[in-house]
């Protein structure tokens, strides 16, 4: 039973770390310290603020498994332990299960559907987390079932803050966390708007 968000940290943008027996990073970006502590690294797509090779080198070790779609895998050194994924699949690794969720824009070319970018629905110690990548509010997201969801709020390249609020209130997670602001587009005000407009039964936190 999830009682707090103490096992979660967000560096910036969509750079998320979840620690709960395992140390799992999603789209690590701008990580300056060499810690070499990642059990798994999940990458949603190959854009610069999501696929940061320097950050990967700072957190990976010889046992780290890096997960990503083909457009990510082709940019990584083959010396890494790599798992190529595609949307709408379920994968079982040693001690985690995850599903890949489509991640794309509607009517914009930043993240086209046919690029096969992904978000992740990860279950760890009976808690399910949804990490979206860069996406609009697409039909595939409205039926998600997750305890913790991270949603982009910056707009332009993703859903905006109003759309993110509406999606969170549709999914009804225990916790909804704003991400993807304060770097290329969006601001902390967008994060605050998101938190302030969630249904009262949904908990939230601004991490950065």
């Amino acid at each position: 039973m999830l009682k707090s968000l103490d096992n979660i940290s967000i560096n910036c943008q969509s750079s998320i770390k979840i620690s709960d027996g395992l140390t799992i990073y999603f789209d690590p970006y701008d990580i300056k310290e060499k810690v070499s502590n990642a059990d798994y690294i999940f990458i949603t797509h190959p854009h610069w603020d999501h696929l940061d090779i320097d950050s990967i080198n700072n957190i990976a070790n010889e046992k780290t498994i890096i997960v990503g779609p083909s457009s990510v895998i082709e940019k990584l050194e083959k010396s890494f332990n790599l798992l190529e994924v595609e949307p709408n699949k379920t994968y079982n690794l040693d001690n985690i299960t995850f599903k890949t969720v489509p991640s794309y824009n509607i009517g914009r070319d930043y993240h086209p559907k046919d690029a096969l970018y992904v978000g992740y629905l990860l279950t760890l110690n009976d808690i399910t987390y949804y990490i979206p990548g860069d996406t609009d509010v697409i039909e595939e997201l409205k039926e998600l079932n997750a305890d913790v969801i991270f949603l982009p709020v910056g707009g332009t390249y993703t859903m905006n803050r109003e759309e993110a609020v509406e999606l969170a209130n549709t999914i009804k997670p225990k916790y909804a966390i704003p991400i993807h602001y304060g770097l290329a587009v969006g601001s902390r005000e967008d994060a605050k708007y998101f938190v302030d407009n969630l249904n009262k039964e949904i908990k939230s936190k601004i991490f950065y």
Side-chain angles (χ1 to χ4, degrees), residues 13 33 41 44 59-61 79 86 91-92 94 110 112 123 129 138 147 203 206:
Q13 194 72 335
E33 185 181 359
I41 301 171
T44 60
I59 62 176
N61 58 62
S79 56
E86 57 186 78
Y91 297 85
N92 294 291
D94 289 342
Y110 302 116
T123 300
Y129 304 85
I138 56 178
D147 300 294
K203 299 178 182 178
I206 297 175

Side-chain angles (χ1 to χ4, degrees), residues 186-202:
S187 69
R188 204 169 190 273
E189 286 303 308
D190 295 311
K192 187 175 186 303
Y193 177 94
F194 177 83
V195 169
D196 290 346
N197 286 278
L198 293 171
N199 289 343
K200 62 182 180 180
E201 65 270 18
I202 301 174

Side-chain angles (χ1 to χ4, degrees), residues 55-197:
S55 290
I56 289 174
N57 286 332
N58 280 336
I59 62 176
N61 58 62
E62 67 277 2
K63 295 182 180 180
T64 302
I65 296 174
I66 304 178
V67 180
S70 60
S71 54
V72 167
I73 297 300
E74 68 187 14
K75 295 180 181 297
L76 295 172
E77 295 290 339
K78 301 310 177 189
S79 56
F80 288 123
N81 303 306
L82 303 175
L83 173 63
E84 182 177 322
V85 298
E86 57 186 78
N88 298 307
K89 300 286 186 181
T90 299
Y91 297 85
N92 294 291
L93 297 175
D94 289 342
N95 35 21
I96 58 172
T97 297
F98 68 92
K99 298 178 181 179
T100 48
V101 181
S103 181
Y104 59 89
N105 292 135
I106 300 170
R108 292 177 288 175
D109 294 331
Y110 302 116
H111 308 91
K113 185 174 183 178
D114 59 9
L116 302 180
Y117 300 154
V118 297
Y120 296 101
L121 196 63
L122 171 80
T123 300
L124 177 65
N125 295 329
D126 296 322
I127 305 298
T128 300
Y129 304 85
Y130 169 59
I131 293 85
D134 285 0
T135 186
D136 286 333
V137 177
I138 56 178
E139 287 301 315
E140 293 93 332
L141 305 186
K142 296 179 181 179
E143 302 299 322
L144 287 179
N145 185 10
D147 300 294
V148 183
I149 64 173
F150 302 84
L151 292 182
V153 298
T156 304
Y157 305 107
T158 70
M159 66 186 78
N160 61 33
R161 63 189 192 179
E162 292 87 1
E163 293 165 332
V165 166
E166 183 176 356
L167 179 60
N169 289 338
T170 297
I171 296 174
K172 298 180 174 65
K174 294 182 177 68
Y175 294 88
I177 311 301
I179 58 171
H180 208 274
Y181 61 90
L183 187 61
V185 294
S187 69
R188 204 169 190 273
E189 286 303 308
D190 295 311
K192 187 175 186 303
Y193 177 94
F194 177 83
V195 169
D196 290 346
N197 286 278

